[in-house]
């Protein structure tokens, strides 16, 4: 940021209610290439509580043609336009403000506001994109009733959509037509949407619990009509689930979804007119993996659930973003858990949290779930606000129990329906229903950083007492050096030889305890706390933080034997997986010592016999969910290993991990081969939990055995690639081939795959990522060459993410090349995208921001960051780079 001055910082502490309200918003959008005219008629009313006569509207890149107050055109002297503000004075009475502006969607590459994507015009207004469409009070606490008239060319834009219900449509001559939409629900501007273009539609319907019929319409490019069914089924399941679990019904007669190829995020919950990234809505067995199917189901549900948690009850200001995102992620996670395997969903979420969110919380971009300040709000759609925010809601649900939690959400929705509220209002409902004081709990919203909970155990055989001592602390983060203790729910059980032991807490009578008293929730509120259990007849193995009951780093010095007991015998399946990860971490730690001593580690790696035996026993267990088993076999990511073993060099960790995968594949060859053979690739494809689980385990076995050099698996990979009847198997086989076959075979298969799928953009994205994540010396050259490939485009975020983030985040061996070329290439990409698409560019900075954790290599990362910092930067990139360098 050399040429501009540092941008403004916005503080939560400065919040003031708006000076004026906008009761009605009438938009007239006249779409013409490079000159779309937007006329806005706003019914303005001063906010008595503020008593302010000056009205300041937000606007960006607007070519203003006309400003009228009560239909009287204002002379330029009667208003001022200063940068991104339109200032009117003397607005002390209600009245109508009319503005007319011209905008250029064709040249909007930031994909915010109104822009063009392939065959359509579409909008993205969250968080502050509406101001790129017209002058407005573009803040979520200003809620208005919207009526939108769209006019456009009939042949290029046969479909014209906006929020709410269609009220009028017709011809206007000269080959043009119009449609008028009215949304009866008040909403903030960030939920506004408009779509115009050439789109095909799949129609369906849903009948709500109270018997109202809702039309469902999914709009896609004609070539994608065969990929809509799964989204529609998912939507109906989500609607039913929200009725059953939260007692909430849909509130309009129509629910529309539009699929857009150029989109900065996953999807957007615009009222009655969701807009989706194609990657989060289109699904077909031929082109979509099981993971893709589950993602579509989850994102469709997420956006639907926002209709209550976000739209009906919205955020007062953007600092409260987690009010809607944390709660909605919690809701979609519970939904996915109910639709599929609950344990698998929990493992996936915790994996993401522990690898990526904990990293964010420990680095220079750490911020509380409710940030106290920001420069650019788009930078705060983070893992912390979304995933940690969901964990915070989950802890409240755990502390209240299911009945009280439901009563509390009922109270919250009823109390605040139609309002823009804060995280405090949400917690208040929890307090009012339960009678509990959550003052301390709310530190989860204001303190950043991942708490560390160290546990020490002592068994007194004579007294038959078992004592657990918990110490919690939290590392410093940019907003605070010292932290007050958190309120942490810790679910535990004690495993004895024959199963879980009954729990009797010293100082409590048996009446205090639940009927099934072999599991308990302990509440930590102090820096140091001790719990003593009486009547403990044997030295137990503690099963701690069951189901990951709080987003903390738990530290307990388990022996290998104890971890193996948990891995094979814990009734909490999540903790069995967690034990497998712990065993992997200690195996890597052991190998690291050999590495230091001999500089030759690959040959020396042997996974511990007890660990191998435990995994083998699990593999042969008839009742263990194969999908959970697949996760038990997968080693933690290099990124997670680096967090756990921070002194180690990242490339050493990567090499050890690779060697360990192969070694495990060899040690488990017999049971893994059995799993491989047990799966018949010609069986008809179905996406249900059981079939998905089978494929997951079989394909995990395939990859491990191929990496172990197993001849039968290598042959099976080629057969599976050729015989696959679905993308899950085909792509898994391709990955195994790419990982383990000689280069000519790899190239032949990569070429064949592209030839087969060149017309399917979402499949091509997978192909790009697969090449970007190859651990071969030429990977970066390949990636650079792929940016010139016919399929690649710098203006499509999915393509950029597939290739660039695929390389920077999924290829530790090559991104961290000793010569620093990986870092500098990423910096070049960020500089290139900085002005064109600031949101996309800013997200790509993440891998470099961790430079302090990388020892000598970190200096090269820092250099790359400094080079970015030497450019004139967008607010988005400026904020993250400045924080990373600070
Ligand atoms: N609210 C969207 C969600 O449910 C997030 C989102 C979509 C978004 N598009 C965006 C956020 C663009 C910022 C900018 O997750
Ligand atoms: Zn959301």
């Amino acid at each position: 940021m050399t040429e501009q001055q540092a941008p403004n910082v916005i503080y939560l502490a400065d919040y003031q209610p708006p000076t004026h309200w906008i009761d009605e918003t009438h938009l007239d959008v006249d779409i013409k290439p490079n000159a779309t005219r937007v006329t806005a008629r706003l019914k303005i009313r001063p906010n008595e509580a503020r008593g302010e006569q000056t009205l300041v509207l937000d606007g960006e890149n607007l070519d203003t043609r006309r400003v009228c107050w009560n239909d009287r055109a204002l002379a330029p002297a009667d208003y001022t336009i200063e940068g991104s503000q339109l200032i009117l004075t003397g607005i002390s009475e209600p009245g109508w403000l009319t503005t007319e502006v011209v905008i250029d969607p064709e040249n909007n590459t930031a994909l915010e506001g109104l822009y063009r994507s392939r065959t359509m015009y579409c909008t993205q207004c969250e968080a502050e994109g509406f101001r790129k469409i017209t002058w407005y009070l573009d803040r979520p606490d200003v809620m208005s009733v919207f009526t939108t008239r769209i006019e456009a060319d009939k042949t290029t834009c046969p479909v014209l959509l906006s929020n709410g219900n269609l009220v009028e449509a017709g011809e206007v001559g000269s080959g043009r037509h119009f449609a008028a939409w009215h949304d009866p629900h008040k909403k903030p501007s960030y939920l506004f949407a408009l779509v115009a273009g050439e789109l095909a539609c799949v129609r369906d319907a849903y009948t709500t619990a109270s018997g109202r019929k809702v039309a469902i319409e999914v709009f896609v490019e004609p070539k994608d009509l065969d990929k809509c069914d799964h989204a529609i089924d998912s939507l109906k399941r989500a609607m039913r689930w929200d009725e059953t679990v939260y007692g909430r019904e849909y509130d309009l007669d129509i629910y529309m979804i539009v699929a857009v190829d150029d989109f900065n995020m996953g999807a957007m919950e615009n009222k009655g007119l969701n807009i989706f990234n194609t990657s989060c809505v289109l699904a077909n067995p031929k082109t979509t993996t099981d993971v893709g199917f589950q993602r579509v189901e989850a994102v469709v549900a997420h956006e639907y659930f926002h209709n209550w948690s976000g739209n009906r009850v919205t955020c007062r200001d953007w600092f409260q973003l987690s009010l809607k995102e944390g709660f909605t992620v919690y809701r979609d996670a519970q939904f996915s858990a109910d639709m599929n395997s609950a344990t698998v969903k929990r493992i996936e979420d915790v994996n993401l949290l522990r690898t990526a969110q904990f990293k964010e919380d420990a680095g220079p971009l750490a911020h509380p779930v409710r940030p106290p300040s920001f420069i650019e709000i788009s930078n705060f759609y983070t893992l912390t606000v979304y995933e940690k925010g969901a964990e915070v809601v989950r802890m409240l649900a755990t502390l209240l129990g299911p009945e009280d939690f439901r009563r509390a959400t009922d109270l919250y929705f009823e109390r605040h329906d139609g309002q823009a509220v804060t995280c405090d209002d949400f917690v208040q409902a929890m307090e009012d229903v339960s009678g509990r004081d959550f003052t301390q709990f709310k530190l989860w919203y204001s303190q950043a950083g991942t708490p560390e909970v160290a546990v020490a155990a002592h068994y007194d055989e004579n007294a038959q007492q078992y004592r657990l001592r918990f110490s919690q602390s939290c590392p410093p983060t940019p907003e605070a050096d010292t932290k007050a203790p958190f309120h942490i729910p810790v679910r535990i059980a004690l495993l004895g030889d024959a199963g879980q032991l009954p729990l009797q807490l010293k100082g409590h009578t048996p009446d205090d305890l639940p009927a099934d008293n072999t599991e308990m929730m302990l509440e930590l509120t102090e820096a140091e706390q001790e719990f003593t259990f009486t009547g403990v007849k044997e030295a137990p193995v503690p099963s701690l933080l069951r189901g990951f009951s709080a987003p903390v780093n738990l530290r307990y010095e388990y022996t290998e034997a104890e971890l193996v007991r948990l891995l094979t015998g814990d009734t909490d399946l999540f903790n069995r997986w967690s034990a497998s990860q712990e065993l992997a971490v200690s195996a890597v730690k052991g190998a690291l010592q050999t590495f230091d001593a001999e500089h030759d580690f690959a040959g020396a790696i042997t996974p511990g016999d007890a660990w191998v035996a435990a995994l083998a026993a699990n593999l042969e267990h008839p009742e263990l969910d194969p999908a959970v088993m697949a996760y038990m076999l997968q080693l933690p990511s290099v990124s997670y290993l680096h967090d756990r073993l921070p002194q180690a060099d990242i490339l050493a960790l990567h090499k050890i991990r690779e060697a360990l995968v192969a070694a495990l594949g060899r040690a488990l060859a017999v049971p893994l081969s059995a799993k491989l053979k047990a799966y018949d690739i010609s069986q008809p494809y179905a996406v249900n939990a059981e079939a998905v689980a089978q494929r997951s385990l079989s394909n995990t076995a395939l990859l491990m055995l191929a990496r172990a050099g197993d001849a039968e698996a290598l042959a099976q990979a080629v057969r599976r690639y050729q015989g696959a009847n679905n993308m899950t198997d085909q792509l898994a086989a391709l990955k195994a081939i790419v990982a383990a076959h000689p280069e000519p075979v790899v190239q032949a298969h990569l070429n064949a795959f592209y030839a087969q799928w060149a017309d399917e953009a979402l499949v091509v994205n997978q192909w790009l990522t697969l090449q970007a994540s190859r651990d071969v010396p030429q990977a970066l050259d390949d990636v650079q060459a792929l940016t010139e490939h016919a399929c690649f485009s710098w203006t499509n975020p999915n393509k950029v993410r597939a290739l660039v983030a695929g390389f920077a985040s999924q290829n530790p061996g090559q991104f961290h090349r000793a010569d620093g070329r990986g870092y500098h290439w990423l910096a070049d990409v960020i500089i290139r995208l900085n002005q064109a698409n600031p949101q996309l560019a800013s997200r790509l900075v993440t891998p470099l921001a961790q430079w302090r954790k990388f020892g000598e290599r970190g200096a090269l990362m820092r250099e790359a960051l400094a080079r970015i910092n030497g450019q004139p930067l967008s607010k988005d990139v400026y904020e993250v780079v400045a924080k990373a360098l600070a």
Side-chain angles (χ1 to χ4, degrees), residues 126 267 269 302-303 306 309 324-326 328-329 332 381 386:
E126 186 176 7
E269 70 265 23
H302 178 98
E303 306 311 329
H306 267 316
S309 48
K324 75 175 177 82
E325 295 304 346
T328 304
V329 171
D332 85 54
Y381 288 74
Y386 275 65

Side-chain angles (χ1 to χ4, degrees), residues 20-53:
H20 296 75
W21 304 108
I22 304 177
D23 294 322
E24 292 176 32
T25 300
H26 300 260
L27 293 177
D28 201 322
V29 182
D30 189 24
I31 296 177
K32 288 202 179 114
N34 294 112
T36 288
R37 190 170 298 262
V38 181
T39 309
R41 265 176 74 73
L42 310 178
K43 191 175 182 188
I44 303 275
R45 172 169 55 93
N47 178 0
E48 304 292 342
R50 287 290 307 271
E52 181 63 67
Q53 304 193 4

Side-chain angles (χ1 to χ4, degrees), residues 111-112 124-127 190 263-269 275 302-303 306 321 324-325 328 377-378 381 386 839 843:
L111 313 186
E112 192 190 31
Q124 172 54 43
C125 293
E126 186 176 7
Y190 83 86
F263 201 73
N264 278 341
M265 303 275 283
M268 181 61 213
E269 70 265 23
I275 298 183
H302 178 98
E303 306 311 329
H306 267 316
L321 181 58
K324 75 175 177 82
E325 295 304 346
T328 304
I377 186 56
S378 298
Y381 288 74
Y386 275 65
Q839 286 183 17
R843 281 170 183 275

